[in-house]
Amino acid sequence: MGKIKLNNIRIHANHGCLKEEAIIGSDYRVDLEVHADLSVPAKSDRLSETVDYVHLNNIVKEEMAIKSHLLEHVSKRILNRIMNELALVSSAEVTVSKINPPLGGDVESVSVAMRLSRD
């Protein structure tokens, strides 16, 4: 078993419950970790036998581009796509963080972390 991590994917998106968030948008950080058996590609050195992190990054970018009211919703969509499109992945965890959220206070970010497993 092994893991592939994409750290600090930076994206501007329009998620949130406030009208302004849907119009102006906010900055987000996404961290992704997927677990898979990496023993075969470790020997073969073939991209076709592993989890392509370019594919993972594209899933994140595409799902973050779809407006959601809640970070939970976009997180679940990301996980569902990974599990549906990448059969080698046995489990995945995503953390979506909104940078400088409009909370009326000095908060660097808020985050939602979710995990999905084939088990």
Side-chain angles (χ1 to χ4, degrees):
M1 194 56 63
K3 61 184 161 184
I4 296 174
K5 296 170 70 171
L6 279 72
N7 302 308
N8 200 20
I9 303 167
R10 292 176 299 277
I11 297 175
H12 188 84
N14 297 77
H15 306 301
C17 295
L18 301 176
K19 203 184 291 186
E20 295 81 12
E21 292 177 298
I23 297 168
I24 299 168
S26 299
D27 291 323
Y28 292 84
R29 183 184 74 236
V30 179
D31 296 295
L32 180 63
E33 182 175 304
V34 300
H35 293 257
D37 181 355
L38 301 179
S39 62
V40 172
K43 291 177 187 175
S44 72
D45 198 28
R46 291 190 184 121
L47 178 60
S48 62
E49 295 178 339
T50 193
V51 178
D52 185 353
Y53 50 78
V54 173
H55 190 163
L56 292 169
N57 188 56
N58 285 336
I59 289 171
V60 169
K61 290 190 308 185
E62 290 167 9
E63 292 303 322
M64 288 295 291
I66 301 169
K67 291 181 184 181
S68 290
H69 287 118
L70 302 177
L71 298 181
E72 293 88 331
H73 190 253
V74 70
S75 297
K76 181 68 169 148
R77 285 199 327 265
I78 291 168
L79 291 172
N80 286 343
R81 286 248 340 250
I82 290 168
M83 299 308 268
N84 288 334
E85 295 179 19
L86 300 165
L88 288 175
V89 174
S90 59
S91 66
E93 183 172 337
V94 65
T95 302
V96 178
S97 303
K98 182 182 285 192
I99 310 302
N100 296 319
L103 299 178
D106 187 13
V107 178
E108 181 179 314
S109 66
V110 295
S111 301
V112 168
M114 295 179 73
R115 182 178 173 88
L116 186 60
S117 182
R118 292 196 193 277
D119 302 334

